[in-house]
Amino acid sequence: MARKPSDRRIIGTALRKIDAVAKVTGTTRFADDLAFPRMLYCKLLRATHPHARVVSIDASAARALDGVQAVLTGKDLPIPFGILPVSQDEHALCVDKVRFIGDPVAAVAATSEETATAALDRITVAYEPLRSFDSAEAAVANPEPRIHDYGDSGNLHKLIDLEFGDAAAGIAEGDVVREDLFFFEGNTHLPMEQHAAVAVWSPDGKLTLWSSTQTPHYVHRALAKVLELPPARVRVIATPNGGGFGGKSDPFNHEIAVAKLAMLTGRPVKITLTREEVFYCHRGRHPTLMWVRTGVKKSGAITGMHFRSLLDGGAYGSYGVASTYYTGALQTVTYNIPRYHFQGARAFTNKAPCGPKRGHGTPQPRFALEVHVDKIAEQLGLDPAELRLRTLVPPNSLTANYLRVGSMGLGRCIEKVIAGSEWKKRFRQLPEGRGVGLACSSYISGAGLPIYWNNMPHSGVQLKCDRSGGVTVFCGSTDIGQGSDSILAYIVAEILGIDPFDIAVVTADTDLTPVDLGSYSSRVTLMSGNAALQAAERARQILAVHAAKQLEVPVDRLQFADGRVFDGNDSKRGMSFADAVQAAEAAAGTVGTVGSYTPPRSAGRYRGAGVGPSPAYSYSACVAEVDVDPETGIVRVPTIWIAHDVGRSINAATVIGQVEGSIYMGLGEALMEEMAYRGNRNVVHKIPSLLEYKSPTTLEMCDVITYLVEDPDPNGPFGAKEVGQGPLLPVMPAVANAVYDAVGVRIDEVPITPEKVLKALRRKAKGEAGRVGPESFPDIPWPEPTRVPTPWEGGDGKAVEQVRA
Amino acid sequence: MGNESKAMIAFTVNGESAEVAFAPHKMLLEVLREDLGLTGTKHGCELGECGTCTVLLDGTPVLSCLVLGLACAGHDVGTVEGMASAGKLHPLQETFADLGAAQCGYCTPAFLLTAQALLAGNPQPTRDEIKDALAGNLCRCTGYIKIYEAVELAAARMRGESAEPTRESLYGA
Ligand code: FES
Ligand code: FES
């Protein structure tokens, strides 16, 4: 019954997405497109102080306003929540303290948006300002006043120290030891759709929330917790997201506020955030300061690495503990690092909370590592492509920090972009002002562990075969534009031999669909894809048994293709897929199956080993070409060549789309995007608007030449690995390396703005180091390291027992 | 609040005459979405910064979040809902769907309408002319490239050529 890969009809083909027509006709219903009779509108009153005690709130004048149906303050929702079990530090409305400008303190529901807005003006909040901190360094230097009353030390939320082998000794074995400092500025997702949510409460005690969320399952849990409702009476429906990129992955205060307002008023309540408020939700890239020291042999072999990161977390925990681990986790999966020491710290500051943005915690260290490697190559007199090719992590291996690498196509990726960009003819050979730069990267295809501890599957699928020949797939996954609904249909269609457009896909509804943990960590194609694959194979099994009886053909000779079930030796002997369903239904009853997916157990057994393991790692290599104007410092990027090892494309066209979208977003981060704050007095967001937060338009976007490399991974469905995030990672360092090739200055800081380029050029002209970047890394009270012997030292993934003082 | 007397206008929406009453301060965006139920028109800022709310006013792309509903009396408004006719997609809708020029699809109605206006005046635009025409529309998902390709392909088909997507555009180099 198994078909050869060459027999595949759907997997790998460029097809329309199953929701493409809805998207191009404007019929897709996003959260703000929903409206209900008697619906109320919610507005949030937000803090005007970055850090202050809430002394009192007087909402009586707001309550008296005609049209106002309810006003909530912090005391109405006292139970804290947060995405990670270890950081339950948010309240729907601040209870006793505000922690950044934009923190919500009160919520109003009124019969119109105008009335709700007018009511906000009638709420008086008395604040007692506290000293505020606008940078991670300020938080390190000032343990008091504490922004939160939990965390590892003062205003340090999290401190990590992990050592795999004796890194210092390893570094000392290098012929060259190089030390560098880097800074990566924070930036934000900027989805075109502003977050929106609508809550409906029914007098029978059931709550329904529609929301533009990437993680309906976690919103479900947070609502049940904060509202103290039985989870079975709470239904969360994730509407198609108008872009997410990680910015809609946390349970949000506004979702809880509308739910509570719906319960109080008995009427549907909707909120749509303004663009300014979307900047306050944030959860974007952590501003990160990094220090790295590496020992390298003349051959290019790395002997050891020590990496430090300091993250500015903003006002709340969010995914930050995971983000911090991620700044140290994936250094080891591209180049062989035999001994490795990672120290990471996350500070609380009085700014909008940071969290997971596309690449989650790994673009910052990837930027540092790839520029650092470029400098090492120059120091050794090696071509940076050659250096990388010499040090690649082998496939099917275990890294020093116990990450299990499966398929590994980075070598092929490097060769593709080197050839395509004519690297050998151009690197260090272009006229002044023009340059090329190379960088590589890797990313996870889903995390090995769930966000809250449990031993259930990460993704589930239910499949119903209808006697019409139609099939319905139910899955908790959420389509945020990446095409995850379509992936389910393609995979099921491939296995059952039917047209993917005969498949109905029902997703992201906690009442109707089995749990999928959500659209984050590039996990959906691999995890829900594997669940769909299992469910479809089970359905095929059932159908085959009954079709075989009817056709009098041995089961294992049956094939499913082109909407038919037939004898592989005699294709005329067969029946339609619908007839096969009917035969099975007549003989055995309703045809339905389930499938689920749990990632393989990870090899690391030490504390902190939960972040980094993945069923499969994608790989990318990127060459950027730049034009630098030495008069203005303006960097233009005409072309980027990118090769991405996606394992196997399920739909080539959506893979290309993810690659191009990632390059675009990386280009924005490389050149212009930054969350800037006025730190002098008030830590107020400088630019909460689409006009002032610069992102690339059609006029800045570069040409992209994409090469898909397919190195199938046994853990992926049909070998597929991730593509939504990985290709973003190498863009920033490739651009930085290209700027150096073009004008000989190092911008060790992202974004690479004209001001920084000019500053570096001026320094160089004066005979100083032509560099702009951080100068020092603050002293951090690192904990005693967790020491884990590497696999090649006979380690078993566990930490060495420590004698506690 | 909300009790001010409503204004009533008559105009043409997607080729049909319509009469609608609404609070006079409302922008065309709100009139379309809230009073006419045409939610295909989206918004990303309501401040004239993103282009997501683009509709056609007498054939010209305008930001509906900046146009007063009242100002549309007697005019002709085109929205994404009017692009397909008799159950058949517009060539731009076909190529946007085939090439993946709509990822999340949130910016898509605005890009489609802007491109439609471009092609009405310039049936064979160059890549740079397409970029210029679309420079006021932000898309956060696609990197714009599939959008350019979709516009070029639709333009060719609208000129009567039998054009197909290139292999490179769907499968890479
Ligand atoms: S909604 Fe952004 S320009 Fe109109
Ligand atoms: S397709 Fe998502 S913003 Fe353009």
Side-chain angles (χ1 to χ4, degrees), chain A residues 12 14 16-17 23-24 32-33 114-115 188-190 194 275 656-657 660-661 664 673 690 696 698 701 706, chain B residues 1 25 33 42-44 49-50 93-94 98 103-104 112 131 135 140-141 143-144 146 148 170-173:
Chain A
R16 265 188 190 180
K17 294 200 289 183
K23 299 264 164 97
V24 299
D32 188 46
D33 299 338
E114 290 82 2
T115 307
T188 199
H189 321 80
L190 210 74
Q194 303 127 298
R275 178 53 61 181
I656 301 268
E660 290 174 356
Y664 152 85
E673 296 191 27
L690 283 173
T698 56
M701 182 57 193
T706 303
Chain B
M1 295 303 298
H25 66 262
R33 289 178 53 83
K42 306 299 179 198
H43 52 81
E49 298 172 346
C50 67
Q93 291 175 309
E94 293 280 359
D98 281 336
Q103 283 190 20
C104 77
L112 285 167
K131 288 186 183 178
R140 212 45 187 159
C141 298
Y144 306 110
K146 288 290 167 274
Y148 310 149
L170 296 176
Y171 293 92

Side-chain angles (χ1 to χ4, degrees), chain A residues 531-616:
Chain A
L533 186 67
Q534 187 180 58
E537 278 174 343
R538 287 173 175 171
R540 186 174 66 179
Q541 211 72 44
I542 293 170
L543 299 178
V545 167
H546 300 287
K549 262 192 213 139
Q550 200 152 315
L551 295 170
E552 298 177 352
V553 172
V555 174
D556 55 9
R557 260 196 4 228
L558 283 186
Q559 292 206 4
F560 286 65
D562 303 322
R564 292 178 71 241
V565 181
F566 55 91
D567 182 351
N569 292 356
D570 172 13
S571 67
K572 284 196 284 303
R573 189 163 179 168
M575 57 170 68
S576 71
F577 179 77
D579 285 343
V581 176
Q582 289 175 22
E585 194 173 341
T590 304
V591 184
T593 58
V594 295
S596 55
Y597 180 75
T598 309
R601 193 161 180 254
S602 46
R605 318 296 318 150
Y606 56 92
R607 196 177 150 79
V611 176
S614 175

Side-chain angles (χ1 to χ4, degrees), chain A residues 227-274:
Chain A
L227 301 171
E228 298 180 280
L229 291 172
R233 303 280 174 93
V234 177
R235 178 182 187 185
V236 177
I237 302 168
T239 47
N241 285 202
F245 317 113
K248 297 170 180 168
S249 309
D250 287 63
F252 280 107
N253 42 50
H254 64 266
E255 294 170 319
I256 294 167
V258 288
K260 181 75 179 178
L261 287 166
M263 290 168 69
L264 283 178
T265 60
R267 292 171 67 167
V269 181
K270 169 153 125 181
I271 187 163
T272 303
L273 300 189
T274 63

Side-chain angles (χ1 to χ4, degrees), chain A residues 295-314:
Chain A
V296 197
K297 290 284 188 204
K298 284 204 186 79
S299 64
I302 295 169
T303 54
M305 180 180 286
H306 186 176
F307 197 98
R308 285 185 184 141
S309 59
L310 172 61
L311 291 78
D312 175 350

Side-chain angles (χ1 to χ4, degrees), chain A residues 97-410:
Chain A
K97 213 171 131 161
V98 297
R99 295 179 173 86
F100 72 102
I101 290 185
D103 224 356
V105 287
V108 173
T111 48
S112 75
E113 222 173 334
E114 290 82 2
T115 307
T117 308
L120 296 186
D121 292 339
R122 296 175 174 227
I123 301 174
T124 331
V125 186
Y127 292 107
E128 181 191 309
L130 296 165
R131 180 154 179 218
S132 58
F133 305 111
D134 67 344
S135 68
E137 286 88 340
V140 171
N142 298 283
E144 296 287 337
R146 290 186 88 184
I147 295 170
H148 284 279
D149 54 14
Y150 81 106
D152 283 349
S153 157
N155 278 314
L156 289 171
H157 174 202
K158 183 71 189 169
L159 290 167
I160 298 165
D161 199 321
L162 293 171
E163 187 163 18
F164 306 93
D166 186 342
I171 293 167
E173 283 169 23
D175 297 323
V176 166
V177 174
R178 189 171 175 96
E179 214 175 283
D180 283 302
L181 281 158
F182 299 94
F183 179 65
F184 199 115
E185 181 57 283
N187 53 51
T188 199
H189 321 80
L190 210 74
M192 293 319 298
E193 177 205 28
Q194 303 127 298
H195 309 47
V198 188
V200 171
W201 171 253
S202 146
D204 60 4
K206 290 193 174 168
L207 174 75
T208 305
L209 182 89
W210 287 261
S211 182
S212 46
T213 175
Q214 299 177 229
T215 54
H217 175 60
Y218 298 135
V219 174
H220 185 197
R221 287 169 55 86
L223 285 178
K225 180 187 178 198
V226 178
L227 301 171
E228 298 180 280
L229 291 172
R233 303 280 174 93
V234 177
R235 178 182 187 185
V236 177
I237 302 168
T239 47
N241 285 202
F245 317 113
K248 297 170 180 168
S249 309
D250 287 63
F252 280 107
N253 42 50
H254 64 266
E255 294 170 319
I256 294 167
V258 288
K260 181 75 179 178
L261 287 166
M263 290 168 69
L264 283 178
T265 60
R267 292 171 67 167
V269 181
K270 169 153 125 181
I271 187 163
T272 303
L273 300 189
T274 63
R275 178 53 61 181
E276 182 180 346
E277 288 178 293
V278 174
F279 280 90
Y280 299 144
C281 280
H282 191 43
R283 320 286 158 153
R285 190 84 69 226
H286 287 73
T288 304
L289 177 66
M290 293 159 287
W291 171 91
V292 53
R293 177 195 281 153
T294 306
V296 197
K297 290 284 188 204
K298 284 204 186 79
S299 64
I302 295 169
T303 54
M305 180 180 286
H306 186 176
F307 197 98
R308 285 185 184 141
S309 59
L310 172 61
L311 291 78
D312 175 350
Y316 290 98
S318 183
Y319 284 78
V321 170
S323 319
T324 310
Y325 277 108
Y326 271 123
T327 64
L330 301 190
Q331 278 84 336
T332 54
V333 298
T334 43
Y335 317 119
N336 215 337
I337 302 174
R339 286 180 268 193
Y340 178 55
H341 187 182
F342 167 62
Q343 293 171 303
R346 183 181 194 260
F348 284 125
T349 60
N350 297 109
K351 303 196 285 195
C354 297
K357 183 186 172 195
R358 208 173 196 172
H360 192 192
T362 72
Q364 302 97 321
R366 185 51 65 181
F367 169 71
L369 180 61
E370 296 295 320
V371 176
H372 183 62
V373 166
D374 202 66
K375 295 181 183 188
I376 289 172
E378 182 170 54
Q379 210 167 330
L380 295 176
L382 282 172
D383 179 292
E386 178 58 29
L387 170 69
R388 287 175 170 88
L389 287 168
R390 285 186 193 176
T391 55
L392 292 181
V393 164
N396 306 313
S397 60
L398 205 54
T399 66
N401 55 343
Y402 290 86
L403 304 183
R404 206 185 295 282
V405 171
S407 84
M408 204 285 190
L410 182 54

